[in-house]
Amino acid sequence: MKSSMKEVPLSQAIGLVLAHDLTQVLPGKVKGPLFRSGHVVREEDIEPLLSIGKEHIYVIEWAEGELHEDEAARRIATAVKGSYVSLTESKEGKVNLVAEKDGLLLVNISCVHQINGIEQVVLSTLKTKVPVRKGERVAASRVIPLIYPEERIIEVERIAGQGNPILQVVPYRSTRIGIVTTGNEIAKGRIEDRFGPVLRQKVEKFGSEIMGQTFASDDRKRIQQQIRSFIEQGADMVFVTGGMSVDPDDRTPGAIADMGVKVVSYGTPMLPGSMLMLAYDDDIPILGLPGCVIHDEFTSFDVFLPRLLAGERIAREEVIALGYGGLHSC
Ligand SMILES: Nc1nc2c(c(=O)[nH]1)N[C@H]1C(S)=C(S)[C@@H](COP(=O)(O)OP(=O)(O)OC[C@H]3O[C@@H](n4cnc5c(N)ncnc54)[C@H](O)[C@@H]3O)O[C@H]1N2
Ligand code: MOO
């Protein structure tokens, strides 16, 4: 047997319980529930109900195996949430999933696709591997009809139970970073360094620290010595700034590539930030940062930084994938 909805005219609705949130939309002013599910209709509610076009309310007689939209949305959200993600109460049949900490959001994309392939399920998420703040909404779930077959929710729960959590937040590690700034014009004091302040601010935003900054002339050996020195002092990551382009006196990529490290990529298919280099000395990332990092607000560096601070190891495939949708400016 299926659940049924009994239509009750407003004149007979006083004392009855609303079966779902009733939404008011006043363009530019309000879009939200005027009455919440479970509200007991009173005399003074009649006028406001008429003003949002309700001449009847509906009372549901429930059958076995069917769920209210609020319950269905809550079960989807519960099934997909992993660590450091929590749920809000449902509103108009929608449950929000919220980050409990600052960190990197990881989304299991193929499972999200599978779940949205189930008829009339909505699981809407942010993109994977983006930085999120504590309290930020990372996803929302709902079903389209008010009364929804439980068997489809059981299918959502089966997909979600297969392996890695579908949505999780990985908090940032506390990371000590050394900066080697290259360029004769800075080493000789002709211009003032701009990388230091920019990098400090970007890194501190994620709760990590710059352990020091040294300055090297355009000389391979000096650049390599200064990178090594930071690693010996316990750096978890090293940034090398400037000299990433095509001039013969741009020595940074050569210096990094020639110091016995594993180069993941020199050249990142995103603009700005195409001249970025990523290498690893064992587990320690070494990044060659191009001039655009001090010029543009958002570059490939801002994509990589939160991933690295959350402890992700970036592989070449992930760098390649940045090209699609990676055209921002410059
Ligand atoms: N012919 C080509 N030209 C450029 C290419 C290219 O592929 N072919 N790539 C462009 C892209 S993209 C970028 S990004 C920049 C990369 O520049 P570099 O990282 O090599 O930077 P430099 O040449 O060392 O300096 C450029 C500019 O920035 C100033 N600078 C450098 N470091 C500092 C610092 N610490 N503080 C303040 N200012 C700094 C430097 O004095 C220069 O004015 O190359 C494009 N060109
Ligand atoms: O490394 Mo550059 O951004 O593409 O300006």
Side-chain angles (χ1 to χ4, degrees), residues 102-103 131-133 172 198-209 297-298 302 305-306 309:
D102 288 3
V132 293
R133 310 290 299 191
Y172 302 116
V198 168
L199 294 177
R200 196 173 295 277
Q201 188 233 331
K202 288 192 186 258
V203 158
E204 285 174 356
K205 196 174 88 184
F206 296 115
S208 282
E209 61 167 313
E297 202 155 314
F298 185 74
D302 300 283
L305 183 64
L309 293 176

Side-chain angles (χ1 to χ4, degrees), residues 181 185-186 191 193-195 243-246 250 274-275 290-291:
T181 289
E185 71 277 35
I186 298 117
I191 63 164
D193 167 55
R194 299 283 301 280
F195 264 102
M244 291 302 297
S245 183
V246 294
D250 282 341
S274 58
M275 310 302 276

Side-chain angles (χ1 to χ4, degrees), residues 277-295:
M277 182 178 217
L278 173 65
Y280 281 92
D281 184 48
D282 291 329
D283 288 336
I284 300 176
I286 301 172
L287 275 79
L289 300 182
C292 57
V293 170
I294 50 172
H295 178 264

